Amino acid sequence: QVQLLESGGGSVQAGGSLRLSCSASVHYDTNYCLGWFRQAPGKEREGVAGICTGGIPLYTDSVKGRFTVSLEKPKAPKNTLYLEMNRLKDEDTGMYVCAAAQPSNLRSGLLSPVGYMYWGQGTQVTVSS
């Protein structure tokens, strides 16, 4: 069983920064992928950024150059996925949720929600101009 807990959301003015964290209880020796997704009211869930163990990060076009995803793997079973968000825009507003998957399940790609089996509760990000 994988448990995910997000934190770090909040309200910020356009141009500001936030750092999201996702504490993931994934066994250290397991190959897995973690992704950040966001959903705004009335819109579909969108993949923002993702990374797999031993892999390179992937970003949706709208956040390239502004967001950075990273995975910290301490010795404990818990790992932390970060999303550093800079130069935030109004359109970045939404509920940000992290998700975990085995790489073999992600046939639709790292930024597609299909194949992710475990989801956190999310943390709200609100950007105002």
Side-chain angles (χ1 to χ4, degrees):
Q1 185 73 18
V2 175
Q3 294 183 328
L4 304 166
L5 182 63
E6 303 93 337
S7 61
S11 296
V12 64
Q13 288 194 330
S17 300
L18 282 174
R19 189 193 197 200
L20 305 183
S21 300
C22 173
S23 176
S25 61
V26 180
H27 194 279
Y28 184 78
D29 294 329
T30 301
N31 292 326
Y32 58 91
C33 298
L34 291 171
W36 282 104
F37 294 81
R38 67 186 177 192
Q39 188 163 17
K43 294 187 177 181
E44 291 186 356
R45 181 169 286 179
E46 173 190 26
V48 176
I51 189 168
C52 300
T53 52
I56 59 173
L58 191 65
Y59 303 92
T60 192
D61 287 345
S62 64
V63 308
K64 286 180 181 177
R66 300 188 298 121
F67 290 12
T68 302
V69 65
S70 59
L71 178 62
E72 180 183 273
K73 298 178 64 178
K75 292 183 179 180
K78 285 202 172 186
N79 307 272
T80 306
L81 180 72
Y82 296 102
L83 186 66
E84 187 77 36
M85 305 187 295
N86 298 309
R87 303 198 309 276
L88 283 161
K89 304 177 181 180
D90 291 359
E91 52 263 41
D92 294 320
T93 293
M95 179 68 73
Y96 283 69
V97 184
C98 71
Q102 291 183 317
S104 58
N105 290 341
L106 297 180
R107 294 185 178 90
S108 297
L110 186 60
L111 298 184
S112 168
V114 178
Y116 281 87
M117 292 182 61
Y118 304 100
W119 294 84
Q121 295 297 310
T123 184
Q124 178 67 35
V125 171
T126 302
V127 184
S128 58
S129 55

